[in-house]
Amino acid sequence: NERDFALKPRTSSYVKRGSALKVTVFFLILIVAVGVIAYAALNPPVQKGTKAVDVGSLAPDFSLTDTSSTVFTLSNYKGTSNVLLFFNEGLACAPCLDEMKNLEQLNQQFTTLKVVLASITADERSALSNWARASGIQYGKVLSDQSVQVARSYDMLGYSMHGTAPGHSFVLVNMSGIVVWRQDYYPPSMGPVGNSEILSKVTQALGA
């Protein structure tokens, strides 16, 4: 009996520690679950057909200044050129910068397809100009959309790693001003995308 009595406090201690551990694990699971739900609410997946501007839409017109201080107006290319818009996070995103440099290699193919390339970021123009000069960008236009009004009009916000910046998306506008291809490479599957895939998508969308 004395032996049983001596074991009781120890058993009680084990029970208390076990209960405390269960409570701790429960709260950890609860915190993780809340975090996952919050992330999902703030970063909803892009579903085809729910975007304001998608295939078949009339592309919203806009004017933005490029790195050479020239104003780029989308409607000026209507009837003469197709325009490939690359919305991205810009200077804060290494894959985006790699993408813009990689796309320069498609200049010859784009010229044959009558495609003008314009990359759009929310960075300040002078900073973009310094980067474009250092990176040797010559053919594609690099446009500054600091107010993100153009990105907003194309429904590009909310799917990036940096919150309100545009993510990693392509929009191809044909000579009639109609969107014929859109692809959103949002996290975690953002680029850089292979040039072969981009060229294939553009060629197919133009029926070339």
Side-chain angles (χ1 to χ4, degrees):
N1 291 338
E2 290 180 359
R3 183 173 178 274
D4 293 340
F5 179 79
L7 289 175
K8 286 182 180 179
R10 188 177 299 176
T11 303
S12 177
S13 176
Y14 287 154
V15 171
K16 288 181 180 179
R17 283 203 295 269
S19 298
L21 179 61
K22 289 179 180 178
V23 170
T24 301
V25 171
F26 171 78
F27 277 109
L28 285 174
I29 294 173
L30 183 61
I31 291 171
V32 171
V34 170
V36 170
I37 293 171
Y39 180 85
L42 294 173
N43 300 273
V46 179
Q47 298 295 331
K48 185 174 178 58
T50 64
K51 295 177 281 289
V53 176
D54 209 335
V55 174
S57 301
L58 179 65
D61 194 21
F62 65 86
S63 294
L64 290 174
T65 304
D66 68 13
T67 51
S68 63
S69 299
T70 301
V71 176
F72 176 99
T73 300
L74 179 64
S75 57
N76 286 348
Y77 294 88
K78 192 172 183 178
T80 60
S81 299
N82 306 292
V83 179
L84 178 61
L85 305 175
F86 171 42
F87 289 88
N88 66 90
E89 294 179 285
L91 300 178
C93 171
C96 304
L97 300 182
D98 289 341
E99 189 83 88
M100 286 191 277
K101 289 188 288 187
N102 291 346
L103 289 169
E104 286 278 293
Q105 300 169 14
L106 293 177
N107 177 61
Q108 183 176 347
Q109 293 92 324
F110 282 163
T111 299
T112 300
L113 293 169
K114 294 184 178 180
V115 171
V116 172
L117 171 65
S119 297
I120 302 175
T121 87
D123 295 301
E124 193 269 331
R125 190 189 62 77
S126 63
L128 281 175
S129 297
N130 292 336
W131 172 81
R133 191 181 307 110
S135 301
I137 300 296
Q138 300 179 42
Y139 309 112
K141 310 289 183 180
V142 182
L143 311 178
S144 173
D145 180 28
Q146 263 192 289
S147 66
V148 298
Q149 289 184 353
V150 175
R152 184 175 293 108
S153 71
Y154 276 79
D155 197 9
M156 289 292 169
L157 303 182
Y159 302 106
S160 71
M161 293 188 297
H162 295 85
T164 58
H168 200 102
S169 301
F170 291 89
V171 175
L172 179 62
V173 182
N174 68 11
M175 294 186 189
S176 298
I178 303 299
V179 175
V180 292
W181 175 57
R182 171 170 177 159
Q183 183 71 49
D184 302 285
Y185 296 92
Y186 57 92
S189 60
M190 61 189 300
V193 183
N195 276 358
S196 58
E197 178 176 344
I198 299 300
L199 185 60
S200 175
K201 298 287 188 180
V202 168
T203 302
Q204 181 179 359
L206 294 175

